[in-house]
């Protein structure tokens, strides 16, 4: 279990705090469909202006270091989480990315 941050708008952050996470329909992220999370709140806030602190259960994590391969199909191989390490210059932005396939693995952790 890790405590991470999800970046979004304040309006959607309030909805998530009230109702939790739902299925993702976004297919355009570096790692395909899923809930994108960050270790640092400052990085999460860059993705919408607000963040929600979450608790995440990860079981089988696929480390992604190059384009292609399992970059967007990792879940079909039995992985529930994909991870691009920080400072990876072959894929993504060079910042760490964590993507969890099933939103049921992500629960709101922060106290209001």
């Amino acid at each position: 279990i890790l405590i991470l941050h999800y970046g979004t708008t304040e309006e959607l952050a309030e909805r998530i705090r009230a109702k939790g996470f739902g299925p993702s329909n976004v297919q355009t992220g570096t790692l395909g469909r899923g809930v994108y999370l960050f270790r640092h709140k400052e990085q999460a806030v860059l993705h919408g202006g607000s963040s929600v602190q979450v608790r995440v259960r990860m079981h089988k994590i696929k480390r992604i270091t190059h384009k292609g391969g399992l970059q967007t199909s990792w879940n079909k191989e039995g992985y529930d989480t994909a991870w691009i390490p920080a400072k990876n210059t072959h894929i993504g932005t060079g910042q760490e990315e964590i993507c969890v396939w099933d939103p049921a693995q992500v629960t709101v952790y922060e106290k209001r």
Side-chain angles (χ1 to χ4, degrees):
I1 296 178
L2 283 178
I3 305 301
L4 300 171
H5 300 274
Y6 177 76
T8 188
T9 65
E10 184 57 37
E11 178 183 342
L12 290 177
E14 289 301 323
R15 187 178 312 159
I16 290 167
R17 288 181 187 108
K19 298 181 180 181
F21 284 86
S24 169
N25 293 321
V26 177
Q27 301 285 334
T28 59
T30 305
L31 297 168
R33 186 176 147 219
V35 180
Y36 283 77
L37 303 165
F38 304 92
R39 288 186 196 269
H40 305 287
K41 181 178 181 176
E42 297 78 16
Q43 188 180 2
V45 169
L46 296 175
H47 300 269
S50 188
S51 73
V52 178
Q53 189 176 40
V54 298
R55 181 185 324 213
V56 185
R57 285 195 165 95
M58 294 180 271
H59 305 284
K60 191 172 180 188
I61 302 168
K62 176 63 180 168
R63 183 174 189 245
I64 306 288
T65 57
H66 293 83
K67 289 184 180 181
L70 297 179
Q71 179 182 342
T72 58
S73 62
W74 44 271
N75 66 301
K76 294 176 186 169
E77 298 295 324
Y79 296 95
D80 64 359
T81 303
W83 168 60
I84 299 175
K87 300 180 183 173
N88 184 329
T89 58
H90 299 290
I91 188 171
T93 62
Q95 296 185 10
E96 181 178 47
E97 290 187 50
I98 300 165
C99 184
V100 177
W101 178 257
D102 185 354
Q105 292 174 241
V106 182
T107 57
V108 175
Y109 180 71
E110 62 192 11
K111 308 294 183 222
R112 292 236 356 125

